[in-house]
């Protein structure tokens, strides 16, 4: 796969040159757009859209459906625990009760990563996904909207939250209360609003489970099912890359407030959970793309992709906060390594897998956002 090595070498060369002029803290301005890591993403990002009519190769989406149903069920369970934890803060505020709620939020956030960005499945479920997370929140829109609600002196219910903007309905709003305004939760109005928001999260999660109770791909012909599966992999990988490259910005000029979960300083935790979810989707409990490639005689490609996932996760940065990594040259290099690993997998899917399985390339649904 020499083409992969050459592209990665180009990226590393550009970033290394840029890093050599960076100062600790990444504060030096750069006016050369060519050093913007976010511009290193393939544009437009190709999407594996369908299978050639002449091909008989297909795929059974049942394993992918089972993964999705399991993921949304875990998410629902974690939202209930989060809501209970916030309710406990309201009845008995303490450092311990806040800590428990923070841990519950982290679990909920990580469970959501299994579904985040796939953009495949039930249309009703996809519509509900907007209520789960608002990102990026680079202008602190969530904080400003929540303060407006607090100033209204109204007692909010979960249904009232359902009538509000998605900005205050999901994970980001709960994060604001638990990690930025946690001391204010001792006040009744703060805690009551946080309780209403997490209550609404439970309602949304329950609705998601209801939508996923029915397999949306049950009647899809096997050849089309293969395109749908690879499209889900591609969409989620593209979304994951955006979560990395947007805050990286230009060397010397990062954008830390475009990072996911920047208030809790756990951006790298959620990013790793996304990569783990991608790996699980690729394997699909031994019945996914990895097995399909091997069965079709493409074991080298299958093992190369799987090994890259394993190496990427094994060498994952120890620092939980992307903001902290963006402050040093060494940290930025670690992020470049993550980017190169993800890009390698993306190129393998677009080039090798597409060619070997006879896939027609289209465009990603997230292009242009």
């Amino acid at each position: 796969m020499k083409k992969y090595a050459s592209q990665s070498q180009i990226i590393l060369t550009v970033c290394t040159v840029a890093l050599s002029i960076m100062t600790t803290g990444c504060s030096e301005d750069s006016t050369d757009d060519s050093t913007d890591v976010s511009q290193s993403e393939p544009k437009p990002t190709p999407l594996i859209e369908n299978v050639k009519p002449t091909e008989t190769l297909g795929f059974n989406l049942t394993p992918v459906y089972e993964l999705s149903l399991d993921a949304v069920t875990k998410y629902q369970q974690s939202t209930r625990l989060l809501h209970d934890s916030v309710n406990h803060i309201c009845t008995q505020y303490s450092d311990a009760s806040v800590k428990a709620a923070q841990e519950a939020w982290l679990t909920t956030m990580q469970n959501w990563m299994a579904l985040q960005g796939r953009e495949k499945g039930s249309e009703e479920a996809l519509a509900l996904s907007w209520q789960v997370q608002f990102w990026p929140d680079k202008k602190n829109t969530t904080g400003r909207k929540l303060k407006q609600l607090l100033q209204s002196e109204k007692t909010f219910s979960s249904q009232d939250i359902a009538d509000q903007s998605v900005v205050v309905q999901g994970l980001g709003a709960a994060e604001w209360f638990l990690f930025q305004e946690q001391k204010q939760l001792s006040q009744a109005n703060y805690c009551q609003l946080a309780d209403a928001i997490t209550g609404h999260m439970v309602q949304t999660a329950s609705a998601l489970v209801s939508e996923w109770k029915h397999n949306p791909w049950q009647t899809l012909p096997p050849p089309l099912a293969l395109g749908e599966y690879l499209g889900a992999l591609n969409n989620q990988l593209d979304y994951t890359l955006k979560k990395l490259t947007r805050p990286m910005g230009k060397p010397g000029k990062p954008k830390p407030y475009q990072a996911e979960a920047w208030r809790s300083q756990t951006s790298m935790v959620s990013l790793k959970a996304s990569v783990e979810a991608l790996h699980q989707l690729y394997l699909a409990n031994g019945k996914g793309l990895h097995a399909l490639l091997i069965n079709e005689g493409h074991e080298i490609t299958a093992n190369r992709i799987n090994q890259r996932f394993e190496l990427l996760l094994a060498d994952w940065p120890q620092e939980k906060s992307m903001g902290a990594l963006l402050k040093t040259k060494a940290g930025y290099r670690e992020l470049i390594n993550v980017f190169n690993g993800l890009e390698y997998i993306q190129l393998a899917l677009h080039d090798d897998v597409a060619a070997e399985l006879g896939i027609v390339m289209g465009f990603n649904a997230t292009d242009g956002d």
Side-chain angles (χ1 to χ4, degrees):
M1 299 180 65
K2 293 182 180 179
K3 56 189 171 184
Y4 300 166
S6 62
Q7 182 157 349
S8 295
Q9 289 168 357
I10 292 171
I11 294 170
L12 281 170
T13 300
V14 172
C15 292
T16 301
V17 170
L19 282 167
S20 67
I21 64 172
M22 289 173 61
T23 60
T24 300
C26 294
S27 59
E28 185 174 335
D29 288 344
S30 172
T31 57
D32 184 1
D33 288 341
S34 66
T35 62
D36 189 343
V37 179
S38 64
Q39 301 304 314
S40 298
E41 299 178 48
K43 294 189 177 182
T45 306
L47 168 62
I48 298 167
E49 189 177 67
N50 209 335
V51 177
K52 295 178 180 179
T54 57
E55 296 288 345
T56 58
L57 183 63
F59 185 77
N60 182 358
L61 274 169
T62 299
V64 176
Y65 167 68
E66 291 172 347
L67 274 179
S68 301
L69 181 59
D70 181 62
V72 76
T73 301
K74 287 181 178 178
Y75 175 71
Q76 179 197 38
Q77 293 169 347
S78 61
T79 59
R80 288 174 175 169
L81 178 59
L82 173 61
H83 181 51
D84 290 344
S85 299
V86 170
N87 187 263
H88 183 60
I89 294 176
C90 297
T91 57
Q92 189 176 350
Y93 179 88
S94 67
D95 290 342
S97 61
V98 171
K99 179 66 174 177
Q102 289 175 336
E103 291 297 327
W105 182 88
L106 290 170
T107 299
T108 305
M109 183 69 169
Q110 290 181 56
N111 285 343
W112 175 244
M113 297 301 99
L115 295 166
Q116 182 196 59
R118 285 187 185 173
E119 296 299 323
K120 294 292 182 181
S122 164
E123 292 296 328
E124 292 77 10
L126 293 176
L128 287 167
S129 297
W130 288 99
Q131 300 179 33
V132 175
Q133 184 182 23
F134 174 74
W135 175 84
D137 188 12
K138 55 188 176 181
K139 296 182 179 180
N140 194 30
T141 305
T142 299
R144 290 188 288 105
K145 291 290 185 181
L146 287 171
K147 285 185 177 180
Q148 289 176 8
L149 295 183
L150 289 164
Q151 290 169 359
S152 70
E153 298 183 356
K154 176 181 176 179
T155 299
F156 289 90
S157 66
S158 297
Q159 183 54 50
D160 291 327
I161 299 302
D163 297 331
Q164 297 292 324
S165 164
V166 294
V167 172
V168 300
Q169 289 182 350
L171 287 160
E175 182 189 21
W176 184 83
F177 279 108
L178 292 171
F179 293 92
Q180 187 168 318
E181 304 291 327
Q182 62 268 41
K183 293 188 181 299
Q184 303 299 325
L185 289 173
S186 59
Q187 300 180 28
N189 63 330
Y190 271 76
C191 210
Q192 193 278 321
L193 180 56
D195 186 65
I197 289 170
T198 55
H200 174 69
M201 290 175 65
V202 173
Q203 293 175 354
T204 301
S206 298
L208 280 168
V209 170
S210 295
E211 294 300 337
W212 276 106
K213 285 292 185 182
H214 308 286
N215 186 345
W217 303 300
Q218 192 168 7
T219 60
L220 198 64
L224 296 180
L226 177 58
E228 188 81 354
Y229 172 42
L230 296 176
L233 268 169
N234 181 80
N235 285 348
Q236 193 164 24
L237 179 53
D238 183 73
Y239 196 94
T240 302
L241 273 165
K242 283 182 170 68
K243 295 201 300 181
L244 174 64
T245 57
R246 284 185 174 182
M248 285 180 73
K250 302 175 184 179
K253 198 171 183 180
K255 302 172 182 178
Y257 294 111
Q258 290 200 31
E260 184 178 53
W262 59 265
R263 294 182 180 89
S264 59
Q265 299 181 36
T266 57
S267 303
M268 296 304 294
V269 177
S270 61
L271 187 65
K272 184 178 183 181
S274 292
V275 177
E276 289 171 336
L278 275 166
H279 192 199
Q280 291 170 6
L281 183 60
Y282 171 73
L283 297 173
N285 292 323
K287 300 177 182 179
L289 182 58
H290 183 69
L292 178 63
L293 286 167
I294 292 175
N295 291 338
E296 293 298 314
H298 308 298
E299 186 172 356
I300 293 177
T301 299
N303 290 336
R304 184 182 291 123
I305 294 173
N306 189 53
Q307 289 168 6
R308 186 50 63 111
F309 269 121
E310 292 175 344
L311 287 171
L312 181 59
L313 292 168
D315 294 337
W316 198 262
Q318 294 298 308
E319 174 59 56
K320 294 181 179 180
S321 168
M322 190 181 295
L325 291 173
L326 290 169
K327 292 179 180 179
T328 67
K329 290 185 287 186
Y332 201 89
R333 288 192 188 99
E334 289 192 78
L335 295 176
I336 290 172
N337 289 336
V338 173
F339 171 81
N340 285 337
L342 289 172
E343 190 205 37
Y344 183 98
I345 295 168
Q346 187 178 55
L347 288 171
L349 289 174
H350 293 164
D351 297 345
D352 287 349
V353 173
E356 291 168 357
L357 298 185
I359 304 299
V360 176
M361 306 298 285
F363 294 98
N364 194 319
T366 63
D367 282 336
D369 63 348

